Amino acid sequence: MPSTIDYSPLTAPVDTTAAAKLAADYASKGQTRPNYRPFGVYSDVLTIVLCIFVLLLCIPATLITLAQGLTGSRGQGWSAFGVYAFLATLAVAGLYWCGRRYLVPRTSPADWYRLHAFAAANNLQFAPWTTAQQYPSEIFTTGVDRATYDHVFSTAEPLFDIGNVYYQTGRKMEESDDHRWGYIAVNLGRNLPQMVLDSTANNRLGLSGLPLGFARDQVLKLEGDFNDHFTLYAPKEYERDATYVFTPDLMALLIDESASFDVEVIDDWMFVYSRTPFHMADPATLSRAFRIVELVGGKIRSQVAKYVDDRAPVVRGVVSAVAAGGRRLKASKTVLVVVLAAITLVTVFNIVRG
């Protein structure tokens, strides 16, 4: 990593002719696939139309029945209000779900030009779309049509990569769901047990946003207020190893620099995940990412430089090895299902009964 980062290319004027030529060069190499889905997927269009129709019906009806309930002019005003409010809530949720699939920052040729110049100025590499990127994390091995895009990375030690990852889940294109994450990857130079820090700041309805849940008997409580910011998962019988890595000074760095992100240590990599893609051409975004690489990544690298798993068999020529029981966390066997409709219906039923 460069000792100092030159961010000036991200705000410098853009040579539009050179930017167009660079974009054409990327396209000729197959590196300019759009990082957003074209509007027109059948299920999404149908969902949006239906949600708008429901809102147009329910909003006036909700206001009318609310007024009737408050004035007592209609005995069933409150029960009708609950039904209309529930349908309107579902419609808003449906619009939000569809909107977040498309309202993703689109990288322009000008952004590619600036990122290309930024990488060159800092002895790094930039790629707008890479389909062959392989990392051991679940986020990089889930779904189909996987790719990393708009990422800046090093080719010399210490290895790191900052960018976005894209993949699809679903059986058919028109029924598939897009997933995009921002990520920071730092090579640690040492194999470690898999450990995950699930940020409490980005949970929704109290549930983790990570694509794979982990068994709760692997949760490890650490000292101080660290547990208010992260839930730490470590393999059983590797609790001591986890405290060897996550020392108080590292915990303080994690809280200061990455409390809103999820963090995973797996094999010889550390990954930091953002639930929304990074706007890579934004100097503030990249500055924060490089601080995480330097401060958090650098601290973990130095912390684990001499780590040895005594449970692992001695393998000649291997820098470090982890025993089978520590390589991967156990996945959760309990599927948590939150049914908002059921909760709302019970509420409405209680109101009607009352």
Side-chain angles (χ1 to χ4, degrees), residues 1-305:
M1 179 174 173
S3 56
T4 58
I5 304 295
D6 180 7
Y7 294 99
S8 62
L10 298 176
T11 55
V14 174
D15 183 336
T16 55
T17 302
K21 183 178 179 181
L22 180 65
D25 183 53
Y26 283 138
S28 68
K29 299 175 182 177
Q31 296 181 344
T32 56
R33 179 171 177 172
N35 56 25
Y36 58 92
R37 289 177 61 159
F39 192 86
V41 178
Y42 304 132
S43 60
D44 287 351
V45 173
L46 180 61
T47 300
I48 291 170
V49 171
L50 179 61
C51 288
I52 293 175
F53 178 73
V54 170
L55 282 177
L56 291 176
L57 288 179
C58 287
I59 289 178
T62 301
L63 296 175
I64 292 171
T65 54
L66 175 61
Q68 291 173 339
L70 291 173
T71 59
S73 60
R74 183 180 175 187
Q76 300 298 319
W78 284 116
S79 60
F81 167 75
V83 172
Y84 289 133
F86 168 63
L87 292 175
T89 301
L90 287 183
V92 170
L95 288 174
Y96 170 78
W97 178 77
C98 290
R100 68 186 296 269
R101 292 154 65 96
Y102 297 98
L103 299 179
V104 176
R106 304 184 181 186
T107 311
S108 66
D111 291 329
W112 290 336
Y113 177 85
R114 287 192 168 111
L115 285 166
H116 176 84
F118 169 82
N122 293 284
N123 197 29
L124 301 171
Q125 299 293 318
F126 166 71
W129 187 272
T130 306
T131 58
Q133 198 72 21
Q134 295 294 326
Y135 289 124
S137 167
E138 181 78 12
I139 287 178
F140 293 91
T141 56
T142 297
V144 297
D145 201 18
R146 296 185 296 270
T148 52
Y149 65 93
D150 294 348
H151 63 122
V152 174
F153 54 97
S154 66
T155 55
E157 294 290 342
L159 297 175
F160 66 88
D161 188 355
I162 304 169
N164 299 305
V165 61
Y166 166 91
Y167 61 90
Q168 289 183 356
T169 54
R171 293 176 299 174
K172 299 178 182 179
M173 175 61 189
E174 64 271 14
E175 298 176 359
S176 64
D177 193 12
D178 286 2
H179 303 268
R180 299 175 183 84
W181 297 74
Y183 72 89
I184 301 167
V186 180
N187 187 264
L188 302 175
R190 202 82 175 170
N191 285 314
L192 296 170
Q194 183 184 15
M195 293 173 284
V196 170
L197 295 174
D198 184 5
S199 171
T200 59
N202 61 23
N203 289 347
R204 296 174 181 172
L205 299 177
L207 301 178
S208 170
L210 291 169
L212 180 65
F214 303 104
R216 295 292 300 179
D217 63 354
Q218 300 168 113
V219 173
L220 178 61
K221 298 293 185 181
L222 298 179
E223 61 184 36
D225 63 347
F226 187 77
N227 305 300
D228 297 332
H229 299 276
F230 295 100
T231 300
L232 170 60
Y233 292 88
K236 297 292 288 183
E237 300 182 3
Y238 277 81
E239 294 84 356
R240 198 165 119 190
D241 303 66
T243 57
Y244 173 84
V245 175
F246 295 104
T247 54
D249 52 348
L250 177 57
M251 289 190 289
L253 271 177
L254 286 163
I255 293 172
D256 292 341
E257 302 295 338
S258 57
S260 60
F261 301 136
D262 299 306
V263 180
E264 179 180 24
V265 172
I266 182 169
D267 295 345
D268 58 342
W269 287 92
M270 178 195 77
F271 296 98
V272 177
Y273 305 119
S274 167
R275 294 189 63 170
T276 55
F278 292 139
H279 182 199
M280 290 293 291
D282 175 36
T285 298
L286 271 186
S287 176
R288 185 181 185 187
F290 274 99
R291 279 180 59 82
I292 292 174
V293 170
E294 179 181 6
L295 298 178
V296 179
K299 178 61 180 177
I300 293 184
R301 279 180 63 91
S302 62
Q303 189 76 21
V304 304

Side-chain angles (χ1 to χ4, degrees), residues 295-316:
L295 298 178
V296 179
K299 178 61 180 177
I300 293 184
R301 279 180 63 91
S302 62
Q303 189 76 21
V304 304
K306 297 181 180 180
Y307 171 79
V308 174
D309 183 2
D310 295 331
R311 311 163 190 80
V314 177
V315 180
R316 184 173 298 176

